[in-house]
Amino acid sequence: MKITTSSIIFLLTACSSASALATDTRRVLVTGAAGQTGQHIFRKLLAKPGYAPIGTVRSEESRQALLAGTAGIGATDKDATPIPAESVVICDITNADTSAIDELMNDCDALMICTSAKPAPTGEVNEETKRPIFGFPNGQPELVDWIGQKKLIDAATKAKKDVHVVLCGSMGGTNPDNSLNNLGKITKSDGSVTGGDILKWKRKSEVYLINESGCPYTIVHPGGLLNEPGNERELCLGVDDKISGTSNNSVPREDVANVMISALEDESYRGRSFDLVSKPVGDGVRTKDYGKLLKSLDGKNSDYSLGEIA
């Protein structure tokens, strides 16, 4: 089944009809809904009163896997809210044609960007380090984390509404030599290097969102992502890859989803860019108040003059 522009229009009409029963329903576009963090957000919004989320995936295969509960986190709870087929749309942000993205954003109140280039082993081994070589089979960071995300941000801008853009980035952006930037780099025969630099391309899209879009925004930089249950830890915020209160540098994906959804519901999260990690389970007090969590920053935001931008 191929999702076309006409089916997108049908989807939006259906959402409009359903929301007639609740005038405060917010339509939220969740990109990367078949991924792990994106799927946490998508499923939580489906189960949350007052929201009508639309999840985007890259292919029909991803769509079917999401609907069947076999993609990403899957249906982690046997009583989880079933995903309505009409709420999942194929929309590849790397396509040159942006009409599908524009059509989807036109009727949405918020945009949750959870798409990112995904590294995978190429099957080759670096002769010097003896470590596996990683590539980006579904698109280099420049294409996905910059060009693709820019298309999403531009679509939110063109919607001419107060579209709140909540973007999931990554910690490590203040260090140009971060090992993540080496993934997917290709050395050509003439000695020049292309590809990779994922954190630099992410930073470029974030600066564009902040300085050029005019959209209200929230940017979350999680530490190392854990496939472990959320709602069990004390969360810690910081900026510029420095977080006080813990030496831990990881956080469950579900907790990232909780913070990003809180950004939709708390006005004080608008215009903010920060890092997020968690303490180990049992260390500290489990975070319940996300407004209090944000206040721990004392007004600080990420400094984009640090590090490098692609």
Side-chain angles (χ1 to χ4, degrees), residues 45-67:
L45 289 178
L46 279 171
K48 199 173 182 64
Y51 289 93
I54 302 166
T56 73
V57 297
R58 185 167 185 169
S59 66
E60 178 61 25
E61 182 181 3
S62 296
R63 181 175 182 272
Q64 292 300 329
L66 179 57
L67 294 175

Side-chain angles (χ1 to χ4, degrees), residues 242-260:
K242 297 177 182 178
I243 299 180
S244 61
T246 182
S247 60
N248 195 45
N249 63 354
S250 59
V251 60
R253 293 177 186 273
E254 185 176 4
D255 285 322
V256 177
N258 290 338
V259 171
M260 291 180 68

Side-chain angles (χ1 to χ4, degrees), residues 89-275:
V89 176
I90 298 171
C91 184
D92 187 346
I93 65 171
T94 65
N95 285 344
D97 183 0
T98 64
S99 59
I101 298 174
D102 294 340
E103 196 73 54
L104 283 168
M105 277 308 312
N106 194 48
D107 204 35
C108 287
D109 303 293
L111 167 64
M112 312 285 272
I113 300 180
C114 302
T115 44
S116 178
K118 186 176 181 180
T122 63
E124 300 176 279
V125 176
N126 185 299
E127 294 182 2
E128 293 182 5
T129 65
K130 305 303 180 184
R131 294 180 178 178
I133 296 175
F134 283 78
F136 291 95
N138 294 316
Q140 281 278 350
E142 180 181 6
L143 179 62
V144 180
D145 294 88
W146 164 235
I147 297 173
Q149 288 191 9
K150 181 178 182 295
K151 290 176 183 176
L152 291 168
I153 295 167
D154 287 343
T157 303
K158 285 185 282 187
K160 295 181 180 179
K161 297 171 64 177
D162 187 30
V163 178
H164 184 185
V165 180
V166 183
L167 189 155
C168 183
S170 175
M171 285 185 66
T174 64
N175 178 15
D177 297 321
N178 189 293
S179 60
L180 291 177
N181 286 327
N182 292 325
L183 297 177
K185 285 192 172 181
I186 301 169
T187 301
K188 296 183 176 181
S189 57
D190 63 1
S192 62
V193 178
T194 63
D197 284 335
I198 187 168
L199 297 178
K200 297 179 184 180
W201 290 113
K202 284 180 179 292
R203 214 160 174 79
K204 187 177 182 72
S205 68
E206 292 170 17
V207 169
Y208 182 79
L209 171 61
I210 294 170
N211 294 336
E212 305 295 334
S213 73
C215 292
Y217 65 86
T218 306
I219 299 170
V220 181
H221 300 136
L225 294 166
L226 302 175
N227 295 321
E228 298 178 8
N231 303 301
E232 296 183 352
R233 305 167 184 243
E234 180 175 336
L235 305 181
C236 303
L237 302 186
V239 296
D240 305 329
D241 297 321
K242 297 177 182 178
I243 299 180
S244 61
T246 182
S247 60
N248 195 45
N249 63 354
S250 59
V251 60
R253 293 177 186 273
E254 185 176 4
D255 285 322
V256 177
N258 290 338
V259 171
M260 291 180 68
I261 291 173
S262 295
L264 294 179
E265 303 179 331
D266 186 338
E267 290 283 330
S268 64
Y269 272 82
R270 294 192 174 205
R272 306 306 301 271
S273 177
F274 53 83
D275 303 339

